[in-house]
Amino acid sequence: MAKKNSDNVQSKVDNDHSESSNQFTDESDYSLLNQLDSMVSEGRNPDTMDIDLMDSKQILTQINNEDRKVPLAIEKCIEPISEAVEAVVEAFKVGGRLVYIGAGTSGRLGILDAVECPPTFSIPSEQVVGLIAGGNKAILKAVEGAEDDPQMGIDDLKHIQFCDKDVLVGIAASGRTPYVIGSLDYAKSIGAKTVSLSCNPGSEIDKHADIAICPVVGPEVLTGSTRMKSGTAQKLVLNMITTASMIRSGKSYENLMVDVSASNKKLHMRAIRIVMQATQVDAYTAEQALKKTNFMVKLSILHILTGVEPHLGRKILQQNDGFLRRSVAALNT
């Protein structure tokens, strides 16, 4: 009886192996294998071939040495990043949104950047949106196969009523994710501006976007672990896009975040400190101004610097598209 069960188990293993082998002989599998072979981000790093023999300090030193290459790679992409920022600024002017879309690490990074914008710049949560293949559950746990479905990307955009006023940034370190490519094609088909962010030059998604951003950071410390240098590069670029777009939309005064939302105790104190830094007043004066303006930092600074009352200050800010420096100049001339 035991022998019969053993034979059945072995037979199942052989059948599973046979089915797996047959699946792999699909031409698309070989095509993907060839694509991976040609990707810079999937290559083997010649400087880390012996990383498994290193002690902890040596491994960390090697990782740090590789990470230093990231900002230098981004420096070569300032022009297309600038083009992306201009597109986002124009979209914001007409009520459009910035939408990030990606799978896995790329999708999570887009969501991270999106969710940090409302408390930092006091914008509606709908103004910068992050979408990930597989939906919100994929933020914490991978959803197998989701990134391979281009229609899913289209469906996710339709679900948020993506329109021609919006800007879509498709994020994929590999530059070949079908979910992202499908979404970029749909966005272009309805007349929206599209941006690709990958780490492989000449990648597929570059061909599907109006603006291609590609910081080439080279092979990872661990082959194919693109959550490392590639992920770092993507996060830096996304931070640059939103931060620069918000500055160009009047969300700063000098280098201060004057549209910060004081939604917790730390941000409450930060608001007081920002007013103090912008106006050179003491903490008490700054807090009194904030209370008078319902804790609107920008309006409080305008009130202190010009003496304008809040109800008039709001109108002046609106007339100057929310730019505090222009508003101060307008009242002081």
Side-chain angles (χ1 to χ4, degrees):
M1 184 69 175
K3 176 70 167 61
K4 185 175 181 181
N5 287 340
S6 175
D7 290 343
N8 288 339
V9 170
Q10 184 60 50
S11 176
K12 184 178 186 306
V13 170
D14 291 340
N15 288 337
D16 288 347
H17 177 73
S18 176
E19 290 176 8
S20 176
S21 299
N22 288 336
Q23 290 172 3
F24 189 73
T25 57
D26 188 281
E27 288 185 10
S28 64
D29 291 328
Y30 283 119
S31 175
L32 175 54
L33 186 62
N34 290 331
Q35 287 180 42
L36 293 175
D37 282 341
S38 66
M39 292 177 187
V40 174
S41 64
E42 297 291 331
R44 297 190 70 182
N45 192 320
D47 296 327
T48 61
M49 297 294 285
D50 295 327
I51 200 165
D52 58 331
L53 302 177
M54 297 179 185
D55 61 28
S56 296
K57 185 175 180 181
Q58 290 171 325
I59 292 172
L60 296 175
T61 298
Q62 196 65 61
I63 292 174
N64 184 240
N65 288 338
E66 290 297 316
D67 285 344
R68 294 179 189 182
K69 300 175 182 178
V70 175
L72 298 177
I74 292 175
E75 182 181 14
K76 298 176 182 178
C77 301
I78 295 298
E79 187 61 37
I81 297 173
S82 177
E83 291 178 25
V85 168
E86 290 302 310
V88 173
V89 171
E90 290 305 310
F92 287 168
K93 287 180 181 178
V94 296
R97 298 168 293 177
L98 166 60
V99 179
Y100 294 134
I101 195 163
T105 297
S106 297
R108 295 183 189 101
L109 289 170
I111 290 171
L112 175 62
D113 196 55
V115 300
E116 289 179 342
C117 285
T120 304
F121 300 108
S122 291
I123 63 170
S125 59
E126 303 83 18
Q127 190 170 337
V128 181
V129 180
L131 299 175
I132 185 171
N136 288 341
K137 60 184 177 181
I139 298 173
L140 297 178
K141 186 177 180 180
V143 176
E144 299 300 331
E147 70 174 56
D148 296 325
D149 189 349
Q151 184 61 45
M152 189 178 290
I154 297 171
D155 293 342
D156 285 349
L157 289 181
K158 288 182 177 180
H159 181 71
I160 64 166
Q161 289 83 49
F162 185 87
C163 68
D164 58 353
K165 292 181 180 180
D166 301 327
V167 173
L168 182 68
V169 178
I171 316 165
S174 67
R176 59 150 301 277
T177 308
Y179 172 80
V180 176
I181 291 173
S183 65
L184 287 170
D185 286 345
Y186 173 73
K188 288 193 77 171
S189 73
I190 64 171
K193 199 76 171 179
T194 55
V195 181
S196 65
L197 174 56
S198 71
C199 293
N200 283 288
S203 65
E204 185 63 26
I205 65 169
D206 292 354
K207 304 170 187 175
H208 297 258
D210 300 311
I211 302 167
I213 303 171
C214 183
V216 183
V217 297
E220 301 288 357
V221 167
L222 286 177
T223 306
S225 182
T226 51
R227 70 184 182 87
M228 299 187 75
K229 285 191 298 184
S230 295
T232 300
Q234 290 173 328
K235 186 179 191 308
L236 290 177
V237 171
L238 300 183
N239 286 166
M240 292 169 78
I241 290 174
T242 46
T243 302
S245 296
M246 295 301 172
I247 292 171
R248 294 272 287 107
S249 299
K251 297 292 184 177
S252 70
Y253 174 70
E254 297 173 348
N255 62 352
L256 298 170
M257 299 184 296
V258 292
D259 261 332
V260 64
S261 177
S263 55
N264 58 44
K265 189 171 183 178
K266 183 189 77 172
L267 293 177
H268 182 101
M269 291 298 106
R270 178 176 289 170
I272 292 173
R273 189 164 181 266
I274 289 171
V275 174
M276 292 171 64
Q277 291 172 318
T279 62
Q280 305 303 308
V281 299
D282 59 26
Y284 175 80
T285 304
E287 186 171 24
Q288 291 306 304
L290 283 163
K291 288 179 177 178
K292 192 172 184 178
T293 62
N294 197 26
F295 262 79
M296 294 179 65
V297 175
K298 186 184 291 183
L299 191 56
S300 299
I301 294 171
L302 185 63
H303 169 65
I304 293 173
L305 291 180
T306 68
V308 67
E309 290 302 314
H311 68 285
L312 290 176
R314 287 189 181 89
K315 293 180 180 179
I316 297 297
L317 283 168
Q318 289 175 356
Q319 291 169 3
N320 288 278
D321 300 319
F323 284 85
L324 181 52
R325 204 184 275 261
R326 292 184 199 168
S327 300
V328 171
L331 287 167
N332 286 337
T333 54

